[in-house]
Structure formats: C-alpha cells, structure tokens
Amino acid sequence: MKNKKLVMIPGPTPTIRSINDQMGRETVAFGDPEFVKDYKELIIDLKEMFKVDGECFVVAGTGTMAMEMAISNVTKRGDNVLIVSNGFFGDRFIDLCERKGLNVDVLSAPWGEVVSPETIESKLKEKNYAAMTVTHVDTSTGACAPIEEIGKIIKNYPDTIYIVDGVAATAGEREYVDDMGIDILFTASQKAFGVAPGLALLWAGQKALSRRKSLGTIPEFYIDFEKWIPIMNDPSKYFATPAVNMVWALKESVRVINEEGIEARYDRHIRVSKAIQSALESLGFKILAKEGNRGTTLSNVLYPEGINDAEFRKIMAEEGAMVAGGLAAYAGKLFRLGHMGNIDDHTVYSVIAVIERTLIKLGYKYEKGIGLKTLLENM
Ligand SMILES: *Cc1c(COP(=O)(O)O)cnc(C)c1O
C-alpha cells in the first residue's frame, strides 16, 4: 500500500477533512443570503482574532498579492520606504517597491539572523519613511523577527506605516495588530490557516486606513482598499467575484482555530517546533536560524556531512513526506520543513519517522531511533 503523502513544505500546509469538505461544496451565488452571512461573520471573527480596530480584507489571491496590496495602499511614487529583510521574502519587497517608483532603503541580516530593533531605530532617524516592511518569519531562513519590539519603536515615528508580512506566521506565531503597533498585517490561506492556496488576508489599522484616504485615487484597481471596504462591510455588494468555496474553507479554519483556542494554538506551535528541532539536532542536522530567533512555523534544516539534498528529498517523497529545498545560496545545503497550521501530533511523529527511514536508506551512520526518542521526550 502506498504511503499517504504528507505535505510538509512551508505552504501549502496539510488540509484537514472538515476544511476540504467546505472546498468541495456545491458553489452558490455570491449574493446568496447564507453565503453573505458567512462571509460577514468571517470578517468579524478575523478582526477580533487579530485585534484590529480597522478593516480586514479577504480577497482572492496569494501572499505576494497581499504584499502588493499592503504597499500600494499606503505609499505613492517618490516616497521613501524602509525594507527590513531577513531573507528571500524580505528581498521580494525590494523589486516590488522599486517597480512602483518608491525610494528603497534596505536593512538586511545574514541568513538565519534578524535585523536588530536598534539598527532599525537608527535607520528610522535618518529620514522620513512613508512605510517600513518587516517579514515576521522569513520562509527562506526560518528566522523570526521581533515584531513586537519593533512595534514599540515605530510608535515614535507617526509618519511611518508599519507593514508586517505574516505569510509564514499568522495563525501560528503570536500577532495582535493594534496591541503590537502594527498598521498592516497580511497572510495567505495556504500557510498557518491550513486552507488550500487561493486567498489573501490583510488587516489594516486606523493609521493605514487614513493614509489610504489621503492618497486619493491610486493606480491599482483590484487591490485598492477603497474598492473592497464596502464589500467587506456588506458582502452582498459586488466588486469582484469572491472565491466562494475558499471563503467557506477559511471560515471553517477559523472555527477550528477557535475550537483549539488561538493561545493554545500558538503554544502548540512553540512546543511542536522545539520538539522537532531537538529531534533533528539529535540526528545530526543543524537549524539555520540562530537560537533565540527561531520561528515556530517551519525549520530550515542544514544537512550533516555526506547527505545529498536531491537524493534525500527524493527518498523522503517516496517514503511519504514532501519537504522543500533551500533557496538562493542555501539551495542544496538545507531542506525546509513546514510545521505550521493544522498539524496533529500523529503527523509530527510520522515526519520524524520518515526522516529516519530516509537516513537509513541513504546508509547514514547514526543511532537508530534517536530522533523519535528525542521527539517523544520533548513533545
Ligand atoms: C509564501 C510567502 C510569501 C508569498 O506568498 P504566495 O502565496 O506564494 O504568493 C510571502 N512572504 C512569506 C513570508 C511567505 O512565506
């Protein structure tokens, strides 16, 4: 019998049955009163869950579209933007902003580390930035930025809109929009919400919304806040067709999150990530992100001497777990293991077991069972 393929990449993450059921429902008219009610409740729940006195947008698209939506609604051509980059997805903002005619300054950390709040503060003193972007957990490194501390600093810079890329963090890492001084937070459905790809989610606080108002007409159409605000407040109105089944699936994921309790969910991510990382270290792997700034949603795992990346990932897939390769300079040097969203303990044990089976097949010399033993002791 063929093994079930576990999707252990940093998105899409595994989808559970009740969420799949929503995606598989017969579609209804977007004006169907029951759908309108569901959509409206979803938006209210999401605002409450991430504590924003402002707006929440749920729009068909991906995380990259949400990045563009965030920037486009708070800046205009010629504005200064500060990009705090801790890896590949932080860097993605550079090209995105330059194409919009923004003046870009970049603060980068070596991969596995994060730019310190002190460094950010001294840069903010240099000039007036219309916006600053920070990636909460950069998926290319697994490093987690201190978004709360940065939020305290940004309070002293009222002209700067604080944008947090939560695509590999939101619903896995603690995030409270208003309390943490965040002006815009965004994510996508296929990461820690555990829904298939297809939806972008974005929260905007009052400061971001008044910036949007001050800009007048912006060049972007589909991702304009002003186009969507009337819809998010009354989804019976039409602007562009909502992804009906995906909205239902996201609503189910919110129900699943509330059933677990969001705080319990964050704690689970901490517990599981620590246990997985200890197990991997016991097997001879190293975690790229420095201790103290490791994300809880994924691990970027450096191979021990003698393990070939392509071979390792091929056997992993045959044994039943898909993991992702490294990006840029780390291609071939590490694999990326997602452990965010609706991942139960069975899955965690399975994936460490798959890694051990793979190591055995590769003829890697190690103490058999040590990964599972370490996992058991730390879960
Ligand atoms: C996945 C990811 C993105 C891009 O999201 P897409 O849905 O692939 O467009 C952006 N930022 C981070 C941190 C991500 O992990």
Side-chain angles (χ1 to χ4, degrees):
M1 192 188 160
K2 243 176 132 175
N3 283 326
K4 181 176 156 178
K5 220 174 236 183
L6 302 172
V7 197
M8 305 307 288
I9 64 172
T13 61
T15 56
I16 60 172
R17 180 60 191 260
S18 69
I19 290 175
N20 290 335
D21 284 348
Q22 294 299 317
M23 295 191 280
R25 279 173 72 179
E26 230 174 275
T27 297
V28 297
F30 59 81
D32 187 295
E34 283 196 22
F35 174 71
V36 168
K37 183 170 163 279
D38 286 341
Y39 204 167
K40 197 167 184 157
E41 282 172 5
L42 170 68
I43 299 299
I44 292 168
D45 287 350
L46 285 170
K47 279 192 205 173
E48 203 168 296
M49 191 173 264
F50 294 92
K51 302 198 172 139
V52 70
D53 168 28
E55 298 287 346
C56 172
F57 302 86
V58 173
V59 176
T62 76
T64 307
M65 190 192 76
M67 293 170 83
E68 192 151 10
M69 190 167 180
I71 278 290
S72 305
N73 281 281
V74 296
T75 58
K76 59 177 186 308
R77 189 165 274 276
D79 279 349
N80 297 322
V81 172
L82 180 59
I83 293 167
V84 178
S85 178
N86 302 317
F88 180 87
F89 286 102
D91 287 350
R92 177 166 280 196
F93 262 121
I94 302 172
D95 190 19
L96 199 158
C97 289
E98 282 175 345
R99 284 176 185 223
K100 291 185 180 294
L102 299 166
N103 298 321
V104 174
D105 284 343
V106 184
L107 288 173
S108 314
W111 279 32
E113 296 175 32
V114 293
V115 177
S116 74
E118 297 73 41
T119 308
I120 294 172
E121 176 143 45
S122 52
K123 194 77 189 165
L124 286 170
K125 282 183 184 146
E126 280 178 18
K127 57 173 107 148
N128 206 21
Y129 289 102
M132 174 177 80
T133 69
V134 177
T135 316
H136 193 175
V137 176
D138 202 300
T139 326
S140 61
T141 70
C144 184
I147 57 157
E148 190 170 10
E149 269 183 86
I150 299 169
K152 284 183 187 139
I153 294 169
I154 208 88
K155 287 207 171 97
N156 301 319
Y157 298 85
D159 295 337
T160 309
I161 301 291
Y162 179 24
I163 298 173
V164 174
D165 174 346
V167 183
T170 309
E173 293 275 356
R174 279 188 168 79
E175 287 172 341
Y176 308 105
V177 178
D178 289 344
D179 293 356
M180 291 185 173
I182 299 168
D183 298 307
I184 294 183
L185 171 72
F186 61 84
T187 188
S189 51
Q190 79 276 20
K191 307 253 176 151
F193 275 92
V195 177
L199 290 178
L201 290 78
L202 187 147
W203 294 259
Q206 289 302 335
K207 190 171 145 188
L209 294 170
S210 61
R211 171 68 61 81
R212 169 64 197 92
K213 275 216 181 82
S214 75
L215 296 176
T217 304
I218 60 168
E220 293 76 10
F221 188 74
Y222 180 69
I223 54 175
D224 185 353
F225 284 179
E226 304 269 283
K227 294 283 186 200
W228 287 108
I229 289 170
I231 315 303
M232 295 302 132
N233 289 294
D234 177 7
S236 71
K237 294 199 172 106
Y238 170 79
F239 167 54
T241 310
V244 173
N245 289 60
M246 299 309 295
V247 167
W248 276 332
L250 185 64
K251 188 172 166 63
E252 173 59 14
S253 93
V254 167
R255 192 198 62 76
V256 167
I257 291 169
N258 280 328
E259 190 176 72
E260 180 178 15
I262 187 112
E263 296 298 322
R265 185 178 181 89
Y266 295 142
D267 290 342
R268 168 170 62 83
H269 278 76
I270 295 169
R271 170 177 65 85
V272 166
S273 63
K274 287 199 165 138
I276 288 179
Q277 289 164 357
S278 309
L280 290 165
E281 283 169 341
S282 75
L283 290 167
F285 294 95
K286 287 197 167 63
I287 307 301
L288 175 65
K290 295 269 171 309
E291 221 161 330
N293 60 41
R294 286 182 186 167
T296 65
T297 49
L298 83 153
S299 298
N300 284 31
V301 190
L302 293 155
Y303 294 112
E305 199 71 44
I307 301 251
N308 176 280
D309 168 55
E311 244 184 306
F312 176 84
R313 287 190 292 122
K314 180 170 164 275
I315 298 175
M316 284 288 291
E318 284 165 11
E319 289 292 322
M322 295 292 298
V323 294
L327 296 172
Y330 283 96
K333 297 205 174 100
L334 59 76
F335 73 94
R336 293 179 301 139
L337 177 68
H339 35 76
M340 68 183 107
N342 300 321
I343 292 186
D344 63 11
D345 289 358
H346 292 315
T347 307
V348 176
Y349 284 102
S350 298
V351 77
I352 296 297
V354 172
I355 291 170
E356 287 217 27
R357 297 206 297 270
T358 302
L359 292 176
I360 292 166
K361 280 204 167 169
L362 286 169
Y364 175 74
K365 294 273 172 295
Y366 80 106
E367 186 189 331
K368 280 194 189 84
I370 187 72
L372 282 165
K373 179 172 178 285
T374 310
L375 187 67
L376 265 169
E377 287 167 354
N378 288 277
M379 280 287 278

